[in-house]
Amino acid sequence: MDLVKGHPLRRPRVETADAWMTTGDDLDLTQAARIAADEMADFLMERLGVSFEDAYMLICAAVDVQISQCCEPGRFPATARAVVSKSLLDQRA
């Protein structure tokens, strides 16, 4: 794992060999998923130079929003992640 200095983020971004991921957590699962999607929108806007609206259309079409953790909702935070394939970003670049 690498730390990229001089690039402040609200939340960590995860890079794997074939994907980029953003995360969200909240006591409400829907809000956790929204946070992950909003973070992915920020990432796509930065990476691809697209508008917020275009980033969200891309999320709807090609990004998987997944539940990472959800036990005793309302008592412990639920965690969600948004995952985009690097091959999709390479095609759009």
Side-chain angles (χ1 to χ4, degrees), residues 78-89:
T79 305
R81 65 180 168 246
V83 183
V84 65
S85 169
K86 285 183 175 178
S87 65
L88 176 76
L89 297 178

Side-chain angles (χ1 to χ4, degrees), residues 18 29 50 66 75 91:
D18 58 348
L29 177 57
V50 298
Q66 307 166 347
R75 185 169 178 203
Q91 291 173 12

Side-chain angles (χ1 to χ4, degrees), residues 4-71:
V4 180
K5 294 182 180 186
H7 191 79
L9 300 172
R10 287 186 304 266
R11 304 183 61 80
R13 293 178 182 163
V14 179
E15 180 182 15
T16 66
D18 58 348
W20 278 96
M21 291 178 240
T22 57
T23 63
D25 61 89
D26 195 272
L27 290 176
D28 177 69
L29 177 57
T30 302
Q31 187 61 22
R34 180 173 296 271
I35 293 167
D38 285 346
E39 291 293 319
M40 181 57 72
D42 288 345
F43 173 74
L44 294 172
M45 289 169 22
E46 174 188 305
R47 186 68 168 238
L48 301 176
V50 298
S51 68
F52 178 80
E53 292 79 10
D54 286 345
Y56 251 91
M57 283 193 287
L58 186 57
I59 289 169
C60 291
V63 172
D64 288 327
V65 178
Q66 307 166 347
I67 298 170
S68 301
Q69 173 181 292
C70 186
C71 61

